Amino acid sequence: MRVVIAEDSLLVREGVTAVLRQPGDIEVVAGCGSLPELLAAVDEHGPDVVVTDVRMPPTSTDEGIRAATELRRTHPGTGVVVLSQYAETGYATALLAGGSASRAYLLKERVSNPGQLVAAVREVAHGGSVIDPAVVEVLVSANGRARVSPLAELTSRERDVLAEIAQGKSNSGVAAALYLSERAVEKHINALFAKLGLASEPDTNRRVKAVLMHLADGVDPA
């Protein structure tokens, strides 16, 4: 597995590199310190996964998220693991806005746990998604249901619809996958949004937040 690392702190970058090289089956093909360097490295090396800091030059704001968005368009086969110092749900929401497949959002403290970081890289490389339990806990707590799964009230069909949404599918895509009419899908989506307390959110935001809750299901944010 080929990986590109983007992190402006040399110390952190070397730490991530050392962690990923431990298993023996991951090759770090490039290390970068800015968004332009990252995009150039992906063009040159065609990695399976990019591990990137959420903030780095040139603006040190949301370069990691912007990289993930750009790579979804230019290199759809490349997974992205975003590392952040804080459990900021806004970044996670933006990361998943185009679908959750091959995307992960982890806190930098996971670098000290080699198994977790390596597992996330492998999951993303195979098309999966990983959201840090701390981010999930913040989101669920914000909805006032920290101790109860926010999906508990959904019917089995609503869960099926949400699972398809988590793959980044449109309403028509969900309808085709579940052999339902688009009208039926719309009804299920409106019902699950209401049950999750997202009825008043803008459509893009509530779809992404619903996906985060779906990914949180079964996760123990200890």
Side-chain angles (χ1 to χ4, degrees):
M1 186 187 310
R2 295 159 57 82
V3 175
V4 167
I5 298 173
E7 164 63 59
D8 61 320
S9 167
L10 177 60
L11 184 61
V12 175
R13 188 163 70 239
E14 290 301 314
V16 172
T17 299
V19 166
L20 294 182
R21 283 176 173 166
Q22 280 186 5
D25 62 339
I26 297 177
E27 179 186 4
V28 177
V29 295
C32 315
S34 69
L35 177 58
E37 291 177 12
L38 167 58
L39 297 179
V42 173
D43 285 339
E44 179 180 355
H45 298 284
D48 300 293
V49 177
V50 165
V51 177
T52 177
D53 188 9
V54 71
R55 298 176 181 177
M56 57 186 168
T59 69
S60 297
T61 54
D62 63 348
E63 278 76 10
I65 304 301
R66 283 193 278 145
T69 300
E70 176 68 10
L71 294 179
R72 192 185 296 279
R73 181 181 66 83
T74 61
H75 296 79
T78 299
V80 179
V81 176
V82 174
L83 299 178
S84 177
Q85 188 173 355
Y86 305 106
E88 300 182 36
T89 58
Y91 284 142
T93 299
L95 178 67
L96 301 180
S100 60
S102 299
R103 293 294 181 266
Y105 184 91
L106 297 177
L107 297 187
K108 283 188 175 181
E109 63 191 51
R110 305 302 173 195
V111 176
S112 64
N113 187 324
Q116 288 187 344
L117 181 58
V118 170
V121 169
R122 287 178 173 156
E123 182 69 19
V124 163
H126 290 90
S129 302
V130 181
I131 301 298
D132 198 290
V135 177
V136 170
E137 185 175 26
V138 170
L139 175 67
V140 176
S141 297
N143 282 273
R145 305 175 66 172
R147 293 187 175 276
V148 179
S149 170
L151 277 67
E153 296 182 9
L154 302 187
T155 66
S156 59
R157 178 54 80 184
E158 288 165 354
R159 283 176 174 265
D160 291 341
V161 169
L162 181 53
E164 297 298 325
I165 291 175
Q167 297 178 38
K169 294 181 181 177
S170 64
N171 288 8
S172 60
V174 174
L178 299 179
Y179 303 100
L180 297 172
S181 67
E182 286 193 45
R183 183 174 179 81
V185 169
E186 289 175 2
K187 289 182 177 180
H188 287 307
I189 289 176
N190 288 333
L192 71 87
F193 283 160
K195 291 178 181 179
L196 297 177
L198 302 174
S200 62
E201 295 271 354
D203 187 63
T204 298
N205 288 350
R206 63 184 181 177
R207 288 178 82 94
V208 174
K209 288 184 177 181
V211 167
L212 285 170
M213 293 180 185
H214 169 74
L215 297 174
D217 197 32
V219 176
D220 178 13

